[in-house]
Amino acid sequence: MHLERNLERALHRADPAPGLADRVLKRLEPAPPRQVRARRWQAVAAALVLVVLGGGWVARHEMERRAGERARDQALLALRIAGAKVRFAQEQVRGIGSHTNG
Amino acid sequence: MTAIIEAAGDPDETLRSAQRGDHDAFSRLIDEHEAMVFSIALHFFGDRDRADEIAQDVFVRLYRSLAAIESSSHLVFWLRQVTSRRCIDEKRRFRLRAVPLDEADARAVESPEPDLLLERRLRELVVELPDAQRIAITLRYQEDLDPAEICRILGIPLRTVKSHLYRALQALRKKLGDC
């Protein structure tokens, strides 16, 4: 048996399925415009989401800051009122003391 | 019109046109060499779909390397080398099981000769050879290259190529004898 001759016949060149050049050229094409547009819209949507989320975070932070300021003002007012009442009571006590000594 | 016909007929001119960015010329280069590239991969993997993928990869890589190709004969050498290495790398990466041709695809390589069964059996046996022997046998008998040319393409010593060919033929003889 002529193995080498049979190998030459068995391993002869075969053609690929038609259109190999087209399949290769298709892989070399840049992304079609539709995909580019879709990606642009995705980027815009992502930016909008970021703006909304960021805005929400800023607004919430501002509300918390104002609530804190209100609470601080109320606490100061309460302290001032309590101080005035203490001073009034001290004056009353001092008045009673001077009457008793006199 | 004459210029177009001349360009189509002269492989070096087609190569130069492709290097200048002419997609039609590049397409002609693919048409001219696709059977060679596809068949090396087909005889290595025994699988037409995988061979088609490999051929596409090789031509995409060629497109990106066109500037480095010096002549049409260099192009043939480059395609054989890149296809052979791509096949071996692919095999190493995925550790594919060799698929017998009758399982893989009924559209096996057509042959003008009558002894279809023997040829088919031989292709199956080639796919079962170790990678280095398989690519050496494919380049030797599909591309009709001598061992010196195979050693340049594969970048291995001449003695190793001869050894691969000898062992592959011994294995094929033994397996055919066992049938």
Side-chain angles (χ1 to χ4, degrees):
Chain A
M1 184 181 59
H2 303 287
L3 176 61
E4 296 190 60
R5 203 181 306 154
N6 285 325
L7 271 171
E8 280 170 9
R9 278 203 292 265
L11 300 182
H12 70 271
R13 287 183 182 177
D15 288 323
L20 179 68
D22 291 338
R23 292 194 290 281
V24 172
L25 291 175
K26 203 170 181 181
R27 280 178 56 174
L28 294 170
E29 283 171 5
R34 205 170 147 189
Q35 277 185 358
V36 172
R37 272 203 300 273
R39 279 189 199 143
R40 206 170 289 156
W41 278 113
Q42 283 169 357
V44 169
L48 277 174
V49 167
L50 281 176
V51 166
V52 169
L53 288 176
W57 182 82
V58 168
R60 185 185 169 89
H61 182 72
E62 182 63 18
M63 280 168 63
E64 284 174 356
R65 191 183 62 78
R66 285 184 188 171
E69 281 179 356
R70 268 200 305 275
R72 187 198 61 195
D73 291 346
Q74 284 172 354
L76 287 173
L77 180 63
L79 281 172
R80 272 201 295 274
I81 292 169
K85 287 195 171 177
V86 167
R87 273 196 301 280
F88 178 74
Q90 281 174 338
E91 281 167 12
Q92 292 291 316
V93 169
R94 254 186 246 122
I96 293 167
S98 61
H99 284 297
T100 311
N101 292 334
Chain B
M1 188 64 184
T2 313
I4 293 171
I5 292 168
E6 281 172 4
D10 178 358
D12 282 315
E13 182 52 40
T14 307
L15 173 62
R16 280 192 289 276
S17 298
Q19 286 172 326
R20 286 193 295 266
D22 180 346
H23 275 206
D24 289 339
F26 183 64
S27 193
R28 285 199 298 278
L29 284 182
I30 296 175
D31 290 343
E32 192 178 336
H33 298 292
E34 64 181 15
M36 176 183 74
V37 170
F38 174 77
S39 300
I40 292 173
L42 176 62
H43 293 137
F44 189 88
F45 288 107
D47 179 338
R48 290 186 67 93
D49 292 336
R50 185 158 293 274
D52 198 276
E53 277 173 33
I54 298 280
Q56 286 183 42
D57 290 348
V58 169
F59 284 113
V60 166
R61 194 162 159 197
L62 170 66
Y63 184 82
R64 291 174 184 144
S65 308
L66 269 176
I69 306 296
E70 294 159 9
S71 63
S72 54
S73 57
H74 181 220
L75 171 64
V76 172
F77 173 82
W78 188 96
L79 286 171
R80 284 172 174 157
Q81 185 174 59
V82 170
T83 308
S84 302
R85 290 181 179 175
R86 181 76 177 77
C87 286
I88 291 170
D89 289 348
E90 177 88 354
K91 184 79 189 330
R92 278 183 190 152
R93 209 176 304 156
F94 294 102
R95 294 273 165 219
L96 287 174
R97 180 180 68 88
V99 181
L101 286 181
D102 54 348
E103 278 181 32
D105 205 316
R107 297 166 295 166
V109 184
E110 296 161 15
S111 169
E113 297 300 321
D115 203 350
L116 295 174
L117 282 176
L118 174 63
E119 291 175 17
R120 187 169 172 160
R121 181 69 188 135
L122 267 175
R123 283 193 292 273
E124 290 170 359
L125 292 175
V126 166
V127 169
E128 290 171 8
L129 290 170
D131 296 352
Q133 291 178 22
R134 192 184 333 171
I135 199 71
I137 280 282
T138 302
L139 291 173
R140 176 75 187 92
Y141 295 101
Q142 179 197 302
E143 293 302 306
D144 196 24
L145 300 179
D146 60 38
E149 291 170 300
I150 296 172
C151 93
R152 281 179 59 224
I153 287 172
L154 299 181
I156 56 178
L158 181 58
R159 196 183 297 170
T160 311
V161 172
K162 287 180 177 174
S163 166
H164 286 325
L165 290 172
Y166 177 77
R167 286 182 186 179
L169 289 175
Q170 291 287 93
L172 291 174
R173 276 198 188 94
K174 186 174 183 304
K175 286 181 178 177
L176 280 176
D178 290 345
C179 292

